Amino acid sequence: MTDMVFGAQDAPEEEPILSHWWRTVDRWTLSAVAILFLVGLLLGLAASPPLAARNGLDPFHYVTRQAVFGVMGMGTMLIVSMMSPRQIRRWATLGFAGAFVAILLLPVLGTDFGKGAVRWYSLGFASVQPSEFLKPVFVVFAAWLMTGSMVRGGPPGKTLSFAVALAVTACLALQPDFGQASLILAAWGLMYFVAGAPMPLLLGLAGAVVAAGTFAYENSEHFARRIDGYLTPNIDPNTQIGYATAAIREGGFLGVGIGEGQVKWRLPDAHTDFIIAVAAEEYGLLLVWIIIGLFGFVTLRALFRLSRERDPFIRLAGTGLAALFGMQAIINMGVAVRLLPAKGMTLPFVSYGGSSVVAAGIALGMLMALTRRRPQDDFGDLVGFSRDRAISG
């Protein structure tokens, strides 16, 4: 009868996926990540030619590869950022299962490339480091488990997530890869804290970590060597930390000039683990501050947007992903200035490495998908606007 009187109304047209994504995604974060990638290419032009010369390759061989990796990583980030939280959870669960199996098979099928730690699969034309891909999918999987325990009568998700975190860190420590193991455990601890863990339990976990570190120091020559090098009051100028420290000191505020730096000729990992030393030497403290500011901006902006989120899964998963991104940057730069022991960890989107860039794209894509604007935000803004009008009226 209503249709007969007023006429039938057409169903509202569904908004195209691309326009809906552009309207809801955090474009400031997207811009900051793009700038980080461009900075990485700029530093690659400075840091990689010496390595290419040592290996008898074209001077821009590694820069070209980094550009290809970057396009793959940025493309992956954009695609993942268009997914819904439900899709993120499903794909991350499958991805965690695959990455964990890949970690378990490393002792059999992996290689160390002469670095003393079996962390990679060699594909001939490239290599893959599964721990890089394990980090973001583990965070989302753990957030899903923790959320299950928040439902009355639900499974013991927090306990299950703790068991999974222990299994993952144990596998990484056996490679040995104590840096990635520590990063995953720290991200899980922060998520557990946000989920409402009691403080005595967190203090007990911190004590367990100290005990595990003591055991590793006494039983792992690799771990002990790095800790001893960090605790030594005098820095050997012919070590990686010595070269990096000297480069940062020589750079000053504005740097020694483009192409004039020397650390890239002395450090074998100048294009990966110590890329910030190249930035400090050639471009000075000014560029380092810009890089730190970009990482801080992305991390804090994500946490701010997540603070308004009502869905516990989105809040936990997003917090863990933001923590991974920020803490990995802190660890990489902290090692270069000797605030932390050497970890062998890349700077996301800036350091050279296919696994690192693509995995960072997946992590940031999931983070941007989880922090997109949703109807709850619009409703909250409307309620706040109505309240303000009522007060002013």
Side-chain angles (χ1 to χ4, degrees):
M1 180 64 70
T2 303
D3 292 345
M4 294 176 61
V5 176
F6 296 102
Q9 295 185 357
D10 296 332
E13 295 184 2
E14 186 176 354
E15 185 178 8
I17 294 177
L18 189 60
S19 62
H20 178 70
W21 169 81
W22 181 251
R23 183 173 58 83
T24 57
V25 76
D26 185 6
R27 294 190 288 270
W28 285 101
T29 297
L30 189 63
S31 300
V33 173
I35 294 173
L36 280 174
F37 171 59
L38 294 177
V39 169
L41 286 181
L42 176 67
L43 296 177
L45 287 170
S48 62
L51 178 64
R54 287 195 293 268
N55 294 331
L57 300 171
D58 179 79
F60 300 109
H61 171 81
Y62 293 103
V63 178
T64 303
R65 287 173 63 89
Q66 181 70 354
V68 173
F69 294 147
V71 171
M72 293 171 57
M74 296 293 287
T76 303
M77 181 184 71
L78 296 178
I79 293 172
V80 173
S81 68
M82 296 180 186
M83 294 182 179
S84 66
R86 178 177 296 180
Q87 291 173 318
I88 293 292
R89 184 177 66 245
R90 290 176 177 175
W91 282 108
T93 301
L94 294 175
F96 172 75
F100 188 62
V101 170
I103 291 290
L104 292 177
L105 293 177
L106 272 175
V108 180
L109 303 176
T111 182
D112 62 353
F113 290 109
K115 296 185 177 182
V118 182
R119 303 176 183 174
W120 298 272
Y121 285 105
S122 177
L123 305 179
F125 60 92
S127 62
V128 176
Q129 186 175 357
S131 62
E132 291 285 356
F133 298 94
L134 180 69
K135 290 182 296 185
V137 292
F138 163 78
V139 162
V140 177
F141 180 66
W144 176 55
L145 291 177
M146 290 183 187
T147 305
S149 65
M150 298 179 183
V151 180
R152 179 175 298 180
K158 293 180 180 179
T159 303
L160 292 175
S161 71
F162 178 58
V164 173
L166 288 181
V168 169
T169 53
C171 290
L172 292 175
L174 291 174
Q175 291 182 3
D177 192 349
F178 296 105
Q180 301 285 20
S182 301
L183 182 59
I184 284 181
L185 198 58
W188 177 87
L190 180 59
M191 293 166 59
Y192 202 31
F193 174 76
V194 173
M199 187 59 67
L201 177 59
L202 292 177
L203 293 176
L205 291 176
V209 170
V210 173
T214 304
F215 177 82
Y217 178 81
E218 294 176 349
N219 294 274
S220 172
E221 182 181 352
H222 175 83
F223 186 80
R225 185 170 60 251
R226 293 200 169 188
I227 295 298
D228 289 339
Y230 170 70
L231 295 176
T232 301
N234 298 321
I235 303 177
D236 185 349
N238 296 320
T239 61
Q240 293 193 92
I241 295 296
Y243 291 137
T245 304
I248 294 172
R249 183 171 56 250
E250 290 292 329
F253 188 75
L254 297 177
V256 299
I258 301 175
E260 299 298 324
Q262 298 300 314
V263 70
K264 59 192 178 186
W265 295 99
R266 299 167 179 167
L267 281 176
D269 296 324
H271 62 310
T272 54
D273 300 349
F274 291 94
I275 192 69
I276 199 69
V278 177
E281 184 180 31
E282 297 203 1
Y283 296 93
L285 188 60
L286 182 60
L287 180 60
V288 174
W289 281 350
I290 292 174
I291 294 173
I292 294 174
L294 289 170
F295 278 105
F297 174 80
V298 172
T299 304
L300 295 177
R301 185 170 176 83
L303 293 175
F304 173 76
R305 291 172 73 92
L306 289 166
S307 67
R308 302 164 55 187
E309 180 59 53
R310 296 178 177 86
D311 189 315
F313 165 73
I314 295 177
R315 188 167 60 248
L316 289 177
T319 299
L321 291 169
L324 276 181
F325 185 73
M327 287 191 296
Q328 182 164 338
I330 290 173
I331 291 173
N332 176 276
M333 292 185 281
V335 167
V337 296
R338 206 169 176 251
L339 289 176
L340 295 170
K343 296 288 185 182
M345 196 172 294
T346 58
L347 191 60
F349 288 107
V350 178
S351 296
Y352 173 84
S355 296
S356 173
V357 175
V358 176
I362 294 174
L364 265 294
M366 291 193 294
L367 182 59
M368 286 194 287
L370 296 174
T371 56
R372 283 168 55 184
R373 284 182 60 87
R374 293 182 176 80
Q376 65 171 10
D377 300 328
D378 300 331
F379 179 75
D381 294 340
L382 180 61
V383 171
F385 176 73
S386 301
R387 183 174 62 250
D388 293 342
R389 286 193 59 183
I391 294 175
S392 61

